[in-house]
Amino acid sequence: MESAILPDFSSSLPDRGHSSAVPCRFVILVSGQGSNMQAIVQACREQGWPADIVAVIANREEAAGLAWAQAQGIETACVPHRDYSSREAFDQALADAIDRYSPDYVLLAGFMRVLTPGFVRHFEHRLVNIHPSLLPAFPGLHTHAQALAKGVQVHGCTVHFVTPLLDSGPIIAQGAVPILAGDAPEALAQRVLQVEHRIYPQVARWLSEGRVEMGEAGRVEVQGVESRFFYGGDVQITGGQQ
Ligand code: GRF
């Protein structure tokens, strides 16, 4: 029975309410440059969402996103995965570091670790990820190379709730870009990234405004929003035939 394996989101998304006076607390996890995190921070500030980015946490000291966040006056922390002998021990330390900030939502933004089921359960209904493909196509790594190898003509990115099954949770929004003749994975990645910088801040804003709900059969609904599809056909073309 399909319904037996779907997580029950019905009663447990953080209750933000549409006009919540209390800012939504986001913790953002990064492993690298953190350009999605930067896009979220900037949009939050420029657009005045009812939200605070209360911390940026990385699993690598050298993550460029950590230095950027620090320079912005955002609290940062690092939980180096190499310091832990098992995935479970790392995830426990990471969960402890996150819990110190009591977030409403934890946003994975280029956080390059597979998380244990225990960690995912701990943050159930509060853990959101961006994946660089149009899920359910191309879960896992090297998504741009996978798309080119299959010859698909449309590619993109997905923001979704995280469930224990990798890259399979309920979809909140998707963005698409064309694949162009002569595309290399790197050029395609850059094109997709530009759309990521549109859709992840938009989803974070919806979360902060309390618009995101779970509808029937574990599918997301966003109140007051007609389309959760973003077309990135106008993004700057780098590489490929123009
Ligand atoms: C993005 O493509 C994201 O979808 C993937 O890793 C990349 C991270 O980029 N998970 P950044 O660190 O946000 O710049």
Side-chain angles (χ1 to χ4, degrees):
M1 282 289 291
E2 202 188 11
S3 59
I5 57 166
L6 284 168
D8 174 16
F9 279 84
S10 50
S11 58
S12 39
L13 285 186
D15 182 11
R16 296 278 316 137
H18 280 234
S19 57
S20 176
V22 181
C24 180
R25 298 173 66 81
F26 287 118
V27 165
I28 307 182
L29 305 190
V30 302
S31 292
Q33 63 175 344
S35 67
N36 277 291
M37 176 272 294
Q38 295 179 26
I40 292 167
V41 168
Q42 280 162 347
C44 179
R45 288 179 174 172
E46 285 164 19
Q47 299 167 10
W49 312 343
D52 284 332
I53 315 301
V54 292
V56 171
I57 301 178
N59 62 316
R60 299 165 62 242
E61 293 278 5
E62 62 277 24
L66 217 48
W68 185 90
Q70 255 160 19
Q72 298 293 312
I74 298 170
E75 277 202 46
T76 60
C78 185
V79 183
H81 64 270
R82 290 204 177 83
D83 290 358
Y84 298 87
S85 55
S86 69
R87 235 174 236 291
E88 286 72 20
F90 168 70
D91 279 9
Q92 186 58 58
L94 181 62
D96 291 345
I98 295 169
D99 282 341
R100 272 176 221 129
Y101 296 97
S102 307
D104 293 298
Y105 290 102
V106 178
L107 307 179
L108 306 175
F111 189 67
M112 303 306 284
R113 298 284 303 173
V114 173
L115 296 161
T116 55
F119 181 96
V120 173
R121 267 196 304 276
H122 182 74
F123 293 105
E124 200 171 27
H125 315 137
R126 296 190 289 143
L127 194 55
V128 175
N129 183 43
I130 188 158
H131 180 77
S133 79
L134 290 170
L135 291 171
F138 313 129
L141 296 173
H142 311 300
T143 56
H144 311 300
Q146 288 190 59
L148 292 173
K150 281 291 182 197
V152 297
Q153 297 300 299
V154 180
H155 185 45
C157 50
T158 304
V159 179
H160 64 97
F161 283 107
V162 177
T163 56
L165 202 56
L166 190 69
D167 300 330
S168 304
I171 290 171
I172 308 172
Q174 292 190 303
V177 298
I179 288 190
L180 305 176
D183 259 345
E186 297 73 23
L188 185 52
Q190 283 309 313
R191 196 175 309 134
V192 171
L193 200 56
Q194 292 177 61
V195 181
E196 293 186 36
H197 296 166
R198 292 182 189 171
I199 74 168
Y200 214 175
Q202 181 62 75
V203 168
R205 181 175 188 163
W206 290 335
L207 291 168
S208 75
E209 293 172 343
R211 293 174 185 270
V212 181
E213 294 172 1
M214 290 309 298
E216 292 190 2
R219 282 193 297 272
V220 168
E221 287 172 10
V222 181
Q223 296 307 316
V225 173
E226 193 167 0
S227 171
R228 292 178 278 131
F229 169 71
F230 295 76
Y231 176 59
D234 59 328
V235 298
Q236 192 188 351
I237 303 297
T238 51
Q241 196 178 57
Q242 301 198 21

